[in-house]
Amino acid sequence: MKQDLRTKFADKRRGVYLFGTTPPKATTTEEATAEIADKLLDRLQFVDYDGLIVYDIQDESSRIHMPRPFPFMRTLDPRAYSKLLREKSEKSIITYKSVSQRDQASFIEWLDEAWNTFGIRDTVLVGSPSSEGEIKLSLNDAYSAIADHPANFQLGGVTIAERHASKGNEHERLISKSSQGCEFFVSQAVYNAQATIDMLSSYARKCKENGTQPQRVILTFTPCGSTKTLEFMEWLGISVPEATKFRIMDAHSPLQESIRICRNNLEQILEAVMPLDIPIGLNIESLTNRKEEIDASIRLFKLLKSIVDLKLAEADI
């Protein structure tokens, strides 16, 4: 019998390995959607992964005044795409949900349908991208609603090391979200290793003070093959140190250089964090639909998974 993600997440001796994707645009036909899903799963055919993450893509233009490098396009319902991928892959799917656009009654209806109609068992709730505009449901209220819901979702949260670098309190957010039901956390894409190390070190230290066990943190990595992708990463709020930007932009192969950078960042993070007893996972994504970057994300997955597996094996010796 296949283990569910909750069981895998609870086993601290193992890593958890996920691949992130976005639903096709809203105008995609059912037949074309199935083809897109098949193409993704064909790429993952020889990859040893535990499940997929399906994102809930929002405009986010209120978060930043810079123009969006790639135009925003509405997508299919992430729940429907999650259901399709689960049925085709027979793998667990984590489905993101942005909660601020609808009121509590609509959110509860979303939860009912997610569980009963779409078979969603694992979800990550995301709050408003900014304090501007109308927020119909706060993230805290959404956490309360899902805690009161009869369905037993495995709930995850987002963690952003860049916030820790600027405010120094991201570890407090993790503690608070855990108390509200979050059983794991998924990071924003990592290009600043030190910011992630600082955040996780503060988190582990606070958990030790509180006498609690850190929750699993899934580190996200993504390849970057062009200046346009780099601009998009910065637009999303991903922290890319200046020297790292130059390394990517000036490289003969920016894509290969970004993979080397991701590898080095992961090795730095694991060196610092493995002794802290924080269960770690990986999530690899491609931020664009360019074939070269999607193929690179598969190579990156294999490389980074082998590094985590090796570190875990060494820890058992």
Side-chain angles (χ1 to χ4, degrees):
M1 190 176 78
K2 286 185 168 51
Q3 287 183 317
D4 61 14
L5 279 183
R6 183 176 261 140
T7 304
K8 291 178 178 179
F9 282 14
D11 185 354
K12 297 178 205 168
R13 298 165 300 173
R14 63 161 288 165
V16 175
Y17 306 103
L18 307 167
F19 196 88
T21 189
T22 57
K25 60 185 180 182
T27 54
T28 310
T29 65
E30 194 172 316
E31 184 181 1
T33 299
E35 288 175 5
I36 291 167
D38 287 338
K39 193 175 286 188
L40 170 64
L41 297 178
D42 282 347
R43 283 189 168 107
L44 291 169
Q45 189 176 356
F46 302 108
V47 174
D48 184 15
Y49 67 105
D50 294 301
L52 294 159
I53 292 178
V54 174
Y55 297 113
D56 184 8
I57 302 300
Q58 301 299 314
D59 188 356
E60 294 192 38
S61 57
S62 63
R63 182 180 51 77
I64 189 169
H65 297 298
M66 290 168 55
R68 200 179 199 275
F70 295 102
F72 169 70
M73 293 185 183
R74 298 204 173 277
T75 69
L76 296 171
D77 187 334
R79 297 173 300 178
Y81 196 53
S82 292
K83 182 174 187 283
L84 179 67
L85 287 173
R86 187 184 69 255
E87 289 170 349
K88 285 179 173 291
S89 69
E90 299 185 341
K91 299 275 189 179
S92 297
I93 313 291
I94 297 173
T95 308
Y96 270 50
K97 170 59 177 168
S98 179
V99 301
S100 62
Q101 299 90 356
R102 295 186 178 181
D103 60 20
Q104 183 157 317
S106 296
F107 177 60
I108 291 170
E109 184 180 343
W110 185 94
L111 292 173
D112 292 341
E113 292 175 354
W115 186 271
N116 297 313
T117 305
F118 297 100
I120 305 299
R121 298 296 179 262
D122 308 279
T123 188
V124 170
L125 302 185
V126 182
S128 175
S130 81
S131 57
E132 295 179 18
E134 185 182 8
I135 299 173
K136 295 183 178 178
L137 184 67
S138 71
L139 186 56
N140 287 339
D141 287 342
Y143 284 149
S144 296
I146 199 170
D148 291 339
H149 196 273
N152 185 26
F153 290 97
Q154 181 180 217
L155 175 63
V158 171
T159 183
I160 301 175
E162 286 82 352
R163 277 195 305 229
H164 192 77
S166 61
K167 298 181 180 178
N169 67 348
E170 186 67 8
H171 63 298
E172 301 280 3
R173 288 173 184 258
L174 298 184
I175 300 289
S176 174
K177 288 181 178 182
S178 295
S179 70
Q180 292 172 289
C182 286
E183 301 175 59
F184 66 95
F185 297 100
V186 182
S187 82
Q188 185 165 259
V190 174
Y191 265 90
N192 185 334
Q194 193 58 51
T196 300
I197 290 167
D198 290 346
M199 179 194 75
L200 293 177
S201 298
S202 296
Y203 177 50
R205 191 180 182 90
K206 192 69 177 177
C207 286
K208 193 172 183 181
E209 283 177 19
N210 294 347
T212 57
Q213 176 64 41
Q215 304 282 28
R216 188 175 292 271
V217 178
I218 297 162
L219 301 171
T220 299
F221 291 89
T222 183
C224 174
S226 70
T227 303
K228 191 84 168 175
T229 303
L230 191 56
E231 288 173 7
F232 188 42
M233 284 163 50
E234 294 192 291
W235 187 87
L236 288 168
I238 298 166
S239 170
V240 186
E242 190 171 52
T244 302
K245 286 185 219 172
F246 295 155
R247 276 183 65 183
I248 294 171
M249 290 189 297
D250 298 342
H252 173 69
S253 171
L255 210 45
Q256 286 303 108
E257 189 64 25
S258 75
I259 288 175
R260 280 191 284 271
I261 288 165
C262 288
R263 172 184 180 165
N264 183 252
N265 284 339
L266 176 63
E267 288 174 337
Q268 288 182 60
I269 292 165
L270 293 178
E271 190 68 30
V273 169
M274 287 293 281
L276 301 179
D277 200 30
I278 300 175
I280 293 294
L282 286 179
N283 170 42
I284 309 301
E285 64 183 12
S286 173
L287 289 173
T288 74
N289 58 7
R290 291 176 59 220
K291 182 182 183 300
E292 298 84 355
E293 292 189 341
I294 296 171
D295 289 344
S297 68
I298 303 295
R299 297 198 302 275
L300 182 63
F301 186 104
K302 292 177 180 177
L303 176 63
L304 298 193
K305 179 182 184 296
S306 69
I307 292 169
V308 174
D309 282 340
L310 177 62
K311 286 289 186 183
L312 288 169
E314 289 174 346
D316 280 342
I317 295 172

